[in-house]
Amino acid sequence: MGDPVVALLGGGGYAELVAVPAAQTLPAPDGVDLVDAGALPEAVCTAWTNLVDTARLQPGDRVLVLGGSGGIGVVAVQLARALGAVVITTAGGPERCARVRELGADHVIDHRDGDVVRAVLEATDGRGVDVVLDVLGGPALRDNVRMLADGGRLVSIGLQQGRRGELDLGELMAKRASVTGTMLRSRTTEEKAAILAAVREHVWPMVADGRLRPVVHARVPLADADDALRLMEHGAAFGKVLLVP
């Protein structure tokens, strides 16, 4: 009672007070401003469970994080790097690419300036990547499979560009690859508690020693939540936008 915590909400975060199952809380990390720490729980839980539990990321694996400058991407890049992967990511424009590279990405591709598929294959000597973490959704499905290595794993976690896409089953089968779609919010309280326990054990030490840090684009007053949403809709935010009561 009284200890500062951060939490993984089931929804309803636009509020001054929220009720959360105790197992979905984490102690506020040392050395991180409490408000900035609010940028971590959902992004860290999403990145951890999808990279580790679903994609089975191993040290030395080549991972492509699509949207490395987004709220999930900035955490996924840092986490994959800390886990020993070779990290390839995308961002829009030279400035955002440079900032993502500072987070630890080995290769950053400007998706506004060229063919992402070709750039990924060039960066991997034609082999492709072992893991794709995708926030774009259906329209990116075909290209994502093209970028997979033999035995590669595509994990779809977002629908920014739509729900439907085209999949070449022959290519997927030839590569013995897999496509998995996941959503954190729809998981049970017990599943969320298990993810939080793993994050506390494995990721919170990375926050403590500086290998992973929150990336906050802006703090916006709760009353101006519509301004925060516009930042996200226009792709202007780098990292997280926080609503502050």
Side-chain angles (χ1 to χ4, degrees):
M1 183 71 70
D3 290 342
V5 298
V6 294
L8 177 66
L9 307 187
Y14 293 17
E16 294 186 5
L17 298 173
V18 293
V20 183
Q24 288 177 217
T25 64
L26 289 166
D30 293 335
V32 178
D33 178 89
L34 182 58
V35 175
D36 286 355
L40 290 174
E42 186 153 0
V44 168
C45 288
T46 298
W48 173 266
T49 191
N50 286 293
L51 289 175
V52 176
D53 299 331
T54 302
R56 308 180 306 282
L57 187 69
Q58 299 295 318
D61 276 355
R62 303 175 299 276
V63 57
L64 171 63
V65 176
L66 290 170
S69 62
I72 301 298
V74 293
V75 168
V77 166
Q78 295 178 80
L79 180 59
R81 177 72 176 195
L83 293 172
V86 177
V87 183
I88 305 169
T89 190
T90 62
E95 180 183 352
R96 295 170 78 86
C97 287
R99 293 182 66 185
V100 176
R101 190 173 289 107
E102 291 172 358
L103 295 176
D106 296 283
H107 304 277
V108 184
I109 299 164
D110 187 344
H111 63 76
R112 298 177 182 173
D113 184 30
D115 185 332
V116 172
V117 175
R118 183 176 63 187
V120 168
L121 294 177
E122 288 177 354
T124 58
D125 296 324
R127 294 176 296 175
V129 292
D130 302 293
V131 174
V132 174
L133 187 66
D134 173 53
V135 297
L136 301 179
L141 183 58
R142 186 170 187 174
D143 281 349
N144 286 338
V145 172
R146 290 174 61 196
M147 293 184 287
L148 287 177
D150 289 347
R153 290 86 70 194
L154 165 60
V155 183
S156 294
I157 64 170
L159 301 168
Q160 290 181 8
Q161 294 183 357
R163 303 166 64 96
R164 299 182 182 277
E166 183 176 302
L167 175 64
D168 185 336
L169 283 175
E171 186 171 14
L172 186 73
M173 294 163 64
K175 291 184 174 183
R176 303 176 306 283
S178 64
V179 179
T180 306
T182 76
M183 181 180 291
L184 185 60
R185 180 166 294 192
S186 63
R187 301 196 186 204
T188 66
T189 300
E190 292 74 21
E191 290 173 320
K192 291 176 182 176
I195 294 169
L196 267 292
V199 164
R200 182 171 185 174
E201 178 181 355
H202 299 287
V203 184
W204 244 220
M206 299 178 186
V207 178
D209 65 19
R211 284 177 290 167
L212 193 153
R213 59 182 177 84
V215 179
V216 177
H217 177 83
R219 297 183 180 191
V220 179
L222 184 59
D224 298 328
D226 54 342
D227 292 336
L229 292 172
R230 277 192 288 270
L231 275 175
M232 297 171 64
E233 288 168 356
H234 296 158
F238 186 95
K240 283 286 190 179
V241 178
L242 300 180
L243 294 180
V244 183

